[in-house]
Every structure is written in C-alpha cells, then in structure tokens.
Amino acid sequence: VQLQASGGGLVQAGDSLRLSCAASGRTYVMGWFRRAPGKELEFVASISWSGVSTYYADSVKGRFTISRDNAKNTLYLQMNSLKPEDTGVYYCATEAQLGYVLGTKQKDYDYWGQGTLVTVSS
C-alpha cells in the first residue's frame, strides 16, 4: 500500500486547508497524525473503513473533519479555524487489515504517507 499526502501550505491563523491522501492498494481504518517542530508525533483523527465512525484529538475537535471517499481511495482532512499550534508535518496512515477500533497510536497503523507540511502564521 502506498499513500501520498498533499494539500499542505502556508496559511494565516483562522484560515482553512484541506489535506488529501491518495492510496494505492487496500485501506482500512485510516488516520491523520502530525509532528510539530521539535515535538513527537501526535494523533489528529481516525476514521473507520465505512467512514461512519470518526475520532478526534481534543485539540482539533470541532475544527477538523476527517472523511474518505472509498470510490476514489482517498482520505481527507478538512481543517478550519487553523491556529499557529496546528503547524507541522501531517501524515496519513492506514491499517493493514480490517479492524473496528479507531487507533490513536503510531503502532496501530502499518502504512504511512510521506507527509505534507502545514504552516500557520499568526
């Protein structure tokens, strides 16, 4: 499975961005993580294979929306009301087999994209 994240960029606080993650191969539960400069990898959001179930980190709840289009094999992250603390490299990931738990840890996922940089200026 290969994942290609895109859509990052430089925006101002309060702006919106939509990240995409195009997948080649079978995907299951998928998630978005981010790494801020000098910090550890942080969970952002995850979504079930069907797209019905989602889970968010408290820091993004109400501002970010994770979704997927299985027909296009693409994962999305709509980010609204961006803050400078949202700055970082955003990674998409997928599990390698069907599961029903929405993972929040790096070890829960088997395949990772290369990351896309989001910079939010104040």
Side-chain angles (χ1 to χ4, degrees):
V1 177
Q2 292 187 328
L3 303 175
Q4 180 74 37
S6 62
L10 172 62
V11 297
Q12 294 187 332
D15 285 352
S16 298
L17 270 180
R18 189 176 81 155
L19 305 184
S20 299
C21 175
S24 62
R26 196 73 171 89
T27 58
Y28 297 96
V29 169
M30 298 190 75
W32 286 100
F33 289 74
R34 66 187 181 190
R35 190 190 303 275
K39 295 190 177 181
E40 294 186 351
L41 194 68
E42 176 190 20
F43 167 76
V44 175
S46 55
I47 188 168
S48 62
W49 177 86
S50 66
V52 170
S53 298
T54 58
Y55 187 76
Y56 297 92
D58 288 343
S59 58
V60 306
K61 200 174 297 182
R63 299 188 298 122
F64 290 11
T65 301
I66 188 171
S67 62
R68 66 192 298 167
D69 184 337
N70 288 338
K72 296 181 179 179
N73 216 8
T74 301
L75 176 73
Y76 302 101
L77 185 68
Q78 177 66 43
M79 304 186 295
N80 299 330
S81 303
L82 282 161
K83 304 175 181 180
E85 50 264 44
D86 294 320
T87 294
V89 178
Y90 283 70
Y91 300 90
C92 56
T94 184
E95 294 184 355
Q97 58 188 11
L98 184 62
Y100 300 97
V101 176
L102 302 185
T104 63
K105 296 180 175 57
Q106 183 178 0
K107 67 178 181 64
D108 295 328
Y109 295 87
D110 303 287
Y111 298 101
W112 292 78
Q114 85 293 353
T116 185
L117 177 62
V118 173
T119 304
V120 184
S121 63
S122 57

